[in-house]
Amino acid sequence: MKRLHVHVGVTDLSASVHFYSTLFGAEPTVAKDDYAKWMLDDPRVNFAISVGGPHKGIEHLGIQVDDRSELVDVYARLKAADRPVLEEGSTTCCYAKSEKSWTADPDGVLWEAFHTSGTSTVYGDSPELAALASSPVPVNCCAPATA
């Protein structure tokens, strides 16, 4: 089964955790000093927030899959959409070990397709995605938090 993924950049993590916990009626399933994530079943969404990135608001959207066969299917659809695709492969990002690929819609909204295989003790890193998004500023999923 697939799950919609939404990642939002925020200014005040504590205030945002309070807001989204109240909105969703649930505490985050992952809570770190710079990141929080809710794995909700109703609606079926992986909703994450983080501080420290260059953007506030929606950072990227995605489709998370439960198994490798679904990932192959989603990857095929990404390629059929006639947009550049960055195949990142195995990576650590957002305190998770995943396999993922990236693309952007015609207006530059970044989308990732991914399968998570485990957790990580570090936030991680990701490739520069500005070229996909046609953005003049650096764009990546797992930008390290800045002080």
Side-chain angles (χ1 to χ4, degrees):
M1 184 180 298
K2 296 167 188 68
R3 180 184 299 267
L4 184 67
H5 169 57
V6 179
H7 190 123
V8 175
V10 300
T11 305
D12 183 330
L13 189 71
S14 178
S16 295
V17 166
H18 174 73
F19 173 82
Y20 288 113
S21 293
T22 303
L23 178 66
F24 299 145
E27 292 300 312
T29 54
V30 175
K32 304 289 184 179
D33 292 338
D34 55 354
Y35 175 86
K37 175 174 73 177
W38 291 258
M39 292 292 282
L40 304 170
D41 289 324
D42 186 16
R44 189 159 166 81
V45 65
N46 167 342
F47 187 89
I49 60 176
S50 63
V51 295
H55 304 285
K56 302 303 173 227
I58 293 178
E59 288 188 352
H60 65 271
L61 301 169
I63 298 173
Q64 181 177 12
V65 299
D66 286 337
D67 61 50
R68 182 86 173 95
S69 64
E70 287 181 322
L71 190 60
V72 169
D73 180 52
V74 174
Y75 279 2
R77 284 188 259 140
L78 285 180
K79 291 177 182 177
D82 295 324
R83 302 286 304 156
V85 175
L86 173 63
E87 295 184 24
E88 187 174 1
S90 295
T91 188
T92 298
C93 185
C94 300
Y95 297 100
K97 295 177 182 177
S98 301
E99 180 177 337
K100 62 176 70 180
S101 287
W102 294 88
T103 192
D105 76 5
D107 291 311
V109 176
L110 289 170
W111 279 85
E112 68 175 320
F114 64 103
H115 173 252
T116 299
S117 57
T119 61
S120 173
T121 58
V122 297
Y123 194 85
D125 197 11
S126 71
E128 176 59 47
L129 301 171
L132 284 177
S134 300
S135 173
V137 297
V139 177
N140 62 22
C141 167
C142 287
T146 56

